[in-house]
Amino acid sequence: MTPGRPVPPPLAQPLPTLDTPSEATDAPRLAAAYGATASDSGLVPLTVARRAPKEDDVEIAIEFCGLCHSDVHATRGEWGAQNYPLVPGHEIVGRVARVGSAVDDFTPGERVGVGCMVDSCRECDSCLDGLEQYCENGMVGTYGAKDRRNGDTVTQGGYASSIVVDRRYVLRVPESLDPAAAAPLLCAGVTTFSPLRHFDVEEGDVVGVIGLGGLGHMAVKLAKAMGAEVKVFTTSESKFAAARELGADDVILSRDEAAMAAADRSIDVIIDTVAAPHDLNPYFRTLRLDGALFQLGLPSGAMPPVNPGALIRRRIAYAGSLIGGIAETQEMLDFCAEHGVVSEVEVVRADQLNEAYDRMVAGDVKYRFVLDASTLGSPSEKADV
């Protein structure tokens, strides 16, 4: 058994009725934060009221929080209407500040993390199997979601000095990992780890990675740590050196028909991280019999049609994958500690967040931004949210 918590934790606990009294140990605390007050406001200083820890809660003093491209989409209203003010951030690393009366698996001072979800129904088959990200009643996102166990308040994320989360959704972050570089593991790391683990990638397998951004660079590192040979597909020759620096064994220019033809039937599994519409059919031809292509990037527009014949002739699977469950995320963190895998990051101050968002949109980052929460300042005397 690997360190940490690699098996599903006990989750079965029915949702309380709305009139269930709070089990607060004392008054809520105010946290300094940055968030959006409207779709066009940019990120501005805010103060968030965090609930006092209930008996199963862990309060975390946040050290670092990764910036995910989904944070940009959410705060700018690009994925539909949002409840503002909105504090984003779901790649959280910090130290336990205090715990509820029933918490015996975390102690103050421990380094911990929180990823993309802070709750789920805990009763459906997916939750009981440790696949909370596929909760049949809807997982509760770390920000911008209704918190059903806490009066349907809207969750506020990790661009803040603290957060309070139920212990079942808190991860242990090994001390051997750099905390800033470990923060993106809570989203980008587990999002790429999960399909690799699902396909049982091991030594001798060949993994293809489409795209070399925040997700793609993690896919390269993790697949190499699993012992696989890694081939990176890119549309830009300028990415060749960077791919090899990350550990790629081969780099294929996807717009070069001859290079793509030479890769025919050479790959076992492809991790597709591109979030723009693109033709998948050329990549299917690089897969061996019983190969699989996992779609991780969520394109903003319609994709070109998939040729079913390409799938049928080689029994190819075309699948999607969404982050990872709590047990799998802990397994990923322990795996990364064992193999020395972290994200390549650029740490930014709170007053650089808007510039970092613009640079993310422009693709000007290698490969993830991380907020230093110590630069958030102090909360005001009154909460904004």
Side-chain angles (χ1 to χ4, degrees), residues 50 58-60 62 92 114 118 142 156-158 161-165:
R50 298 298 195 189
V58 176
E59 182 179 76
I60 301 165
I62 297 174
I92 301 165
V114 177
V118 293
T142 304
Q156 303 294 340
S161 56
S162 69
I163 193 169
V164 178
V165 179

Side-chain angles (χ1 to χ4, degrees), residues 14-214:
L15 286 169
T17 57
L18 291 179
D19 60 355
T20 298
S22 171
E23 298 162 335
T25 56
D26 57 3
R29 291 186 179 179
L30 298 179
Y34 261 63
T37 58
S39 62
D40 58 355
S41 70
L43 298 173
V44 299
L46 296 171
T47 295
V48 177
R50 298 298 195 189
R51 70 177 183 267
K54 298 191 295 184
E55 65 174 10
D56 283 326
D57 282 342
V58 176
E59 182 179 76
I60 301 165
I62 297 174
E63 297 174 295
F64 297 98
C65 185
L67 278 60
C68 180
H69 208 123
S70 60
D71 300 345
V72 180
H73 293 308
T75 55
R76 294 180 176 179
E78 294 169 355
W79 281 352
Q82 295 288 337
N83 291 308
Y84 295 102
L86 178 65
V87 176
H90 57 210
E91 299 176 346
I92 301 165
V93 171
R95 298 279 186 185
V96 175
R98 55 179 178 164
V99 299
S101 59
V103 177
D104 58 8
D105 46 352
F106 294 99
T107 57
E110 273 190 277
R111 177 162 281 145
V112 292
V114 177
C116 300
M117 57 185 161
V118 293
D119 205 355
S120 61
C121 81
R122 311 181 192 177
E123 297 177 310
C124 69
D125 289 343
S126 293
C127 284
L128 297 178
D129 284 343
L131 299 170
E132 302 91 344
Q133 75 273 35
Y134 300 118
C135 176
E136 294 153 34
N137 295 299
M139 70 172 183
V140 178
T142 304
Y143 65 85
K146 285 187 177 181
D147 189 347
R148 293 168 290 189
R149 280 176 227 275
N150 292 283
D152 280 346
T153 56
V154 176
T155 57
Q156 303 294 340
Y159 295 10
S161 56
S162 69
I163 193 169
V164 178
V165 179
D166 187 287
R167 66 176 179 81
R168 298 165 182 83
Y169 301 84
V170 177
L171 291 308
R172 288 186 175 83
V173 177
E175 290 287 347
S176 62
L177 295 176
D178 178 279
L185 298 180
L186 278 305
C187 176
V190 73
T191 296
T192 47
F193 180 88
S194 186
L196 291 169
R197 181 61 80 221
H198 182 77
F199 201 78
D200 293 326
V201 167
E202 59 186 2
E203 187 173 356
D205 289 335
V206 181
V207 173
V209 178
I210 305 175
L212 200 64

